[in-house]
Amino acid sequence: MENFQPTPFLVRWHLVMLYGAMALFAGGILFYLIHLIRISTLKTYKEKYDYISRREIKNLEIIFILFAIGVAMLINRYGMDKIDEMGVWFFVRLFISFAGGTLVGYIAFLILEYYYPSRVDKKLKKWRFMPRVNPKTGNKMRLLAEHEEDVHMDEGMRAEEDVFSIDYDVWIDEQTNDVIVEKYQGHLQALQCGNCGFYTLKVVKEEITERPTINSPGELIKHYECSYCKSVRATAFKISTMEADDFKKEKHSFQNNRDVVLVKVEIKSATGGSKFYEFGDLAQAQKFLTEVNEEKK
């Protein structure tokens, strides 16, 4: 080892691998911090929702690419105290480092493709169903149910909802009747597939097989397909007729569960009417129903 004298090229090569890896790791961390700061600076919940929906996974892909290249550079320093000239082992190590970086990138791809969408979905639900505040008055606004929205939407917007390509949320300040209409892409929620276990089960088609009437509920069929294992399933949902204010008469209670990604509340009245609301987690639903009880008093 006393006569170990690597060529100037190898000395520079190993230094480039070291400082390059450090720079890439630092760049990935900095990029992630910028991503978080960007979300925190957005003023409205809708802006946060849109940014996360549009950029979160893409930004993480960039970060993982930087980390994968950084890992490959560190692997390429392996055995640096034994290589003193360009030879077969240099190119073997180069191949191993490329394979290692590719493996890290592939694992990251699997995480972002099949696991992380469920995390994004939770974040999206959080910002979508976060109670809105009227910017003019500071009053809390209420998210209208499906049957209440139509009067606040034009014909084109209702047509988009009818074919499930676009979903509109309508928030109303019941003291001033001020309305905020927010536009969302349809079917962003990915469910857990019962066959493969990944959160890759998405709605591919919806059809109303029976329309609701004043006296009887209708039926909606949702057709699901897993983007990973391609298994399919269909589930029927009741479309109930809904009354205006009698949903306040029912009592409610929840138990905490961290695995819940969507809370759909159906409140039935003594007269047979019912009302549906969807929330991102149990806390939001509990808070909403507590406020409803307070308003009723």
Side-chain angles (χ1 to χ4, degrees), residues 198-210:
F198 290 121
Y199 285 84
T200 49
L201 192 68
K202 295 184 179 181
V203 176
V204 293
K205 188 175 84 170
E206 293 183 359
E207 56 181 338
I208 297 176
T209 57
E210 184 179 346

Side-chain angles (χ1 to χ4, degrees), residues 4 42 47 74 111 136 145 161 169 176 178 182 186 224 295:
F4 180 73
L42 296 173
E47 289 176 331
L74 288 182
I111 292 173
K136 299 178 183 178
E161 282 209 330
D169 284 353
T176 64
D178 290 339
E182 297 178 347
Y224 299 86
E295 291 176 4

Side-chain angles (χ1 to χ4, degrees), residues 2-260:
E2 295 180 358
N3 297 325
F4 180 73
Q5 296 274 338
T7 64
F9 170 79
L10 286 176
V11 172
R12 289 192 297 269
W13 178 267
H14 291 141
L15 286 176
V16 168
M17 293 298 104
L18 175 63
Y19 293 128
M22 293 171 60
L24 288 169
F25 290 143
I29 295 172
L30 180 61
F31 197 88
Y32 182 67
L33 292 176
I34 292 173
H35 171 74
L36 296 179
I37 293 171
R38 173 61 177 161
I39 294 174
S40 67
T41 58
L42 296 173
K43 296 181 179 179
T44 68
Y45 299 145
K46 180 62 166 64
E47 289 176 331
K48 294 177 187 292
Y49 179 101
D50 289 340
Y51 181 79
I52 292 173
S53 175
R54 187 179 66 253
R55 292 298 316 172
E56 175 118 339
I57 290 182
K58 292 182 180 179
N59 287 347
L60 290 179
E61 286 175 351
I62 295 173
I63 292 169
F64 278 124
I65 289 173
L66 295 177
F67 285 171
I69 298 175
V71 168
M73 286 185 165
L74 288 182
I75 294 174
N76 201 257
R77 286 172 52 84
Y78 178 76
M80 57 178 290
D81 56 342
K82 298 178 181 178
I83 301 177
D84 57 359
E85 62 181 10
M86 294 282 291
V88 175
W89 175 242
F90 176 86
F91 294 101
V92 170
R93 186 183 63 177
L94 192 64
F95 173 78
I96 294 174
S97 64
F98 177 79
T102 301
L103 178 62
V104 171
Y106 181 67
I107 293 173
F109 166 78
L110 293 178
I111 292 173
L112 294 178
E113 182 73 12
Y114 299 113
Y115 167 73
Y116 199 74
S118 64
R119 300 288 300 274
V120 173
D121 192 59
K122 291 181 181 180
K123 293 182 181 181
L124 294 180
K125 286 185 175 68
K126 170 188 174 182
W127 295 119
R128 178 169 178 175
F129 298 111
M130 188 77 73
R132 304 301 196 252
V133 175
N134 188 337
K136 299 178 183 178
T137 63
N139 297 330
K140 289 186 178 179
M141 308 184 77
R142 180 171 70 88
L143 178 62
L144 297 184
E146 289 292 331
H147 78 290
E148 299 175 297
E149 294 178 346
D150 289 352
V151 69
H152 301 288
M153 298 189 299
D154 59 35
E155 185 176 351
M157 296 164 69
R158 290 194 293 271
E160 288 179 317
E161 282 209 330
D162 287 342
V163 297
F164 309 107
S165 62
I166 298 294
D167 193 14
Y168 289 95
D169 284 353
V170 180
W171 296 82
I172 186 169
D173 182 344
E174 295 181 305
Q175 297 183 28
T176 64
N177 289 325
D178 290 339
V179 171
I180 296 176
V181 180
E182 297 178 347
K183 180 178 180 180
Y184 298 91
Q185 292 296 320
H187 314 308
L188 290 175
Q189 181 185 7
L191 303 177
Q192 185 176 24
C193 175
N195 185 47
C196 67
F198 290 121
Y199 285 84
T200 49
L201 192 68
K202 295 184 179 181
V203 176
V204 293
K205 188 175 84 170
E206 293 183 359
E207 56 181 338
I208 297 176
T209 57
E210 184 179 346
R211 292 196 171 274
T213 65
I214 297 177
N215 300 318
S216 63
E219 185 179 68
L220 170 70
I221 304 293
K222 290 188 177 183
H223 299 269
Y224 299 86
E225 182 178 351
C226 176
S227 61
Y228 180 72
C229 68
K230 304 304 179 182
S231 64
V232 296
R233 84 177 195 203
T235 306
F237 296 87
K238 292 294 184 182
I239 308 174
S240 298
T241 55
M242 305 175 191
E243 301 296 331
D245 294 317
D246 50 13
F247 71 99
K248 297 180 181 179
K249 299 177 183 177
E250 291 291 322
K251 299 296 182 181
H252 59 276
S253 63
F254 286 109
Q255 293 181 344
N256 190 26
N257 188 333
R258 290 188 216 170
D259 296 329
V260 173

